[in-house]
Amino acid sequence: MNGHLDAYQSLAETVDRDEPRWAFGSSVTASGIVDTPVEIMMPVPTGAVPGDLAGYCQMLGDDALVCGHRVSEWVSNAPELEEEVALANIALDLLGQARALLARGGFVEGAGRDEDALAFWRDQAQFRNVALAELSDRLDFAHAVARLLVFSSWRFAIMRRLRNSTDPAIAAVAVTAGKELAYHRDYAVRWTLRLGDGTEESHRRMQAALDAVWPYVEELFRTSELERRLIQVGVAIDPSETRTEVSAVLDEVLAAATLSRPAVLAVGTLAGRGGRQGVHTEALGHLLAEMQSLARQHPGATW
Amino acid sequence: MVSDPRPDVFSVVASVIDPELPVLTLGDLGVIRAVEIVGGPGEDCVVVTITPTYPGCPAHEVIRADLRASLVKAGYPRVRVRTVLSPAWSTDWISEQGRRKLAEAGIAPPGQIGACPRGTVPLTLAPHPLDVRCPRCDEPRTEELSAFGPTPCTALRRCSSCREPFEYLRER
């Protein structure tokens, strides 16, 4: 009996806290102050064009937001509770990276858009993520593992380099992101080994998943014009420089898992334009329709 | 000169309970970077600077609200909570007392990782040869059940001696 009373008491206390719970991303306090980390509001590094920096933050943030949303689709669908918890954790890490990066992008843009505005009120052509992030795995676990293996190996290499970015917010995010992505990569590696070197059926399906994901690997190493400009001022890193490291990691894992590196053609660009320029696959539209629907139906909702 | 009857501001801040791991205080967890009082008497505002353990951790919002509530209750009505991302929080910042409290609560404390390695983290294809002792019987041979436990910061392991599963605060 007392236990129940205590439980109700603590619920009441939760409601009593002086700040309403924001239903979506950014936290607005009762006094209207947004709790923004100090680094997010630091000045644009010398030599960088604010619009470029905003765009770069969107690229890095959209990769995490969109891929994180895909991973989160496994919540209530995973084969075992442990995997569900693991995938939810990974999605939460990616969401955390996305929030900080989009908040930074919105701040340096200076048009009054916060992380919520960027996540929920942009349309498909305004997203800057790579196609790999938006691919649907159709709730095939091997596909989820294959996408996560490639994505986390690549993003890990990117974030390790960005720890030295001249942009204080990107550098700060990169430090924590690197630690998180090492765990994500580990998780994907272990499942790749287990499925690849498992039964005939698990091997066949893991190989099929790699074959499906592989055409989207090439885009990860393309350097956009915007990135080229920001490399000059030390804000960005060149993604093409991560190719050797990422390939070595993937080759080592595939060999140990008795899987072969798919010999498939890379998905091409549309007159040189790809995800970084806002050209996306159909999959992103479906993802955004679901991810954005609540925020668009109930703008500014609190609970 | 009348002495301030309110409890010491740093001890109020440091004794706020972590919502995710309620055996720890924020002081034990090592997330408090600075506590300052700005402004004159009657107008004074407490500025608390904290580092999030995990930038995506939902507990961060709760920590901020709890900090404010505790300070208001202790007689400091004006509170500002600042968040800094850098330097990033590490499990190395958990105090000795905090590690003891974790073990007593059946949660294996994290090992020391020292300075963040500068190169690439080597890929490990074998299970991690971690030295995580069972918090109940101190058995060194324990196995990982799941790399991601019930909270974002823990993994789930099992002792090979007493067979009890236990949570383990992952190094970060």
Side-chain angles (χ1 to χ4, degrees), chain A:
Chain A
M1 186 69 197
N2 267 340
H4 288 292
L5 284 176
D6 289 350
Y8 286 122
Q9 181 66 32
S10 74
L11 270 180
E13 279 170 5
T14 308
V15 175
D16 247 13
R17 284 195 174 101
D18 62 345
E19 297 168 20
R21 302 299 182 84
W22 189 244
F24 312 114
S26 56
S27 54
V28 180
T29 64
S31 50
I33 298 166
V34 181
D35 171 50
T36 308
V38 171
E39 287 86 352
I40 302 296
M41 297 177 291
M42 284 185 176
V44 175
T46 315
V49 177
D52 281 353
L53 178 55
Y56 190 53
C57 289
Q58 283 182 25
M59 290 181 186
L60 297 170
D62 288 347
D63 285 343
L65 178 68
V66 172
C67 189
H69 187 83
R70 279 294 182 214
V71 175
S72 78
E73 290 174 344
W74 283 89
V75 173
S76 82
N77 285 308
E80 287 181 351
L81 185 59
E82 283 78 5
E83 304 320 315
E84 178 147 324
V85 170
L87 291 164
N89 267 303
I90 291 170
L92 184 62
D93 283 344
L94 291 173
L95 184 62
Q97 296 171 22
R99 288 185 59 181
L101 288 163
L102 292 180
R104 176 63 170 166
F107 175 79
V108 297
E109 181 187 58
R113 292 200 287 183
D114 63 5
E115 59 189 73
D116 286 345
L118 289 169
F120 298 126
W121 294 94
R122 278 180 305 157
D123 292 327
Q124 175 164 330
Q126 293 154 335
F127 272 75
R128 293 286 174 267
N129 58 283
V130 291
L132 177 73
E134 72 204 31
L135 291 184
S136 171
D137 52 39
R138 295 181 182 83
L139 293 181
D140 176 312
F141 190 67
H143 276 245
V145 169
R147 186 187 53 211
L148 188 62
L149 174 71
V150 175
F151 184 81
S152 59
S153 300
W154 168 69
R155 190 169 173 86
F156 175 78
I158 299 273
M159 286 297 169
R160 296 290 283 188
R161 285 165 174 76
L162 282 175
R163 292 180 305 176
N164 298 320
S165 170
T166 51
D167 183 70
I170 291 176
V173 171
V175 172
T176 50
K179 297 180 189 189
E180 291 162 357
L181 289 158
Y183 279 112
H184 303 177
R185 187 179 70 169
D186 231 60
Y187 177 82
V189 165
R190 281 195 259 175
W191 268 110
T192 304
L193 293 175
R194 206 164 148 186
L195 296 175
D197 196 15
T199 65
E200 209 173 290
E201 172 70 356
S202 74
H203 175 90
R204 183 185 67 75
R205 292 181 62 172
M206 191 64 223
Q207 185 66 54
L210 285 171
D211 293 348
V213 160
W214 222 262
Y216 300 92
V217 172
E218 189 57 31
E219 183 187 11
L220 307 180
F221 306 120
R222 284 192 197 121
T223 314
S224 66
E225 284 307 314
L226 185 152
E227 284 168 301
R228 274 186 224 288
R229 291 194 295 274
L230 289 176
I231 292 165
Q232 300 294 323
V233 288
V235 167
I237 61 106
D238 189 345
S240 70
E241 284 175 9
T242 65
R243 185 194 291 272
T244 315
E245 179 188 329
V246 175
S247 296
V249 166
L250 295 176
D251 283 343
E252 188 184 343
V253 176
L254 297 190
T258 73
L259 296 160
S260 48
R261 175 186 269 260
V264 290
L265 281 179
V267 169
T269 58
L270 201 67
R273 294 161 60 81
R276 296 306 192 207
Q277 291 79 30
V279 175
H280 295 284
T281 70
E282 187 189 352
L284 183 63
H286 295 289
L287 182 150
L288 293 180
E290 184 181 310
M291 188 183 84
Q292 297 175 329
S293 64
L294 187 72
R296 290 187 179 203
Q297 280 172 46
H298 303 279
T302 56
W303 58 279

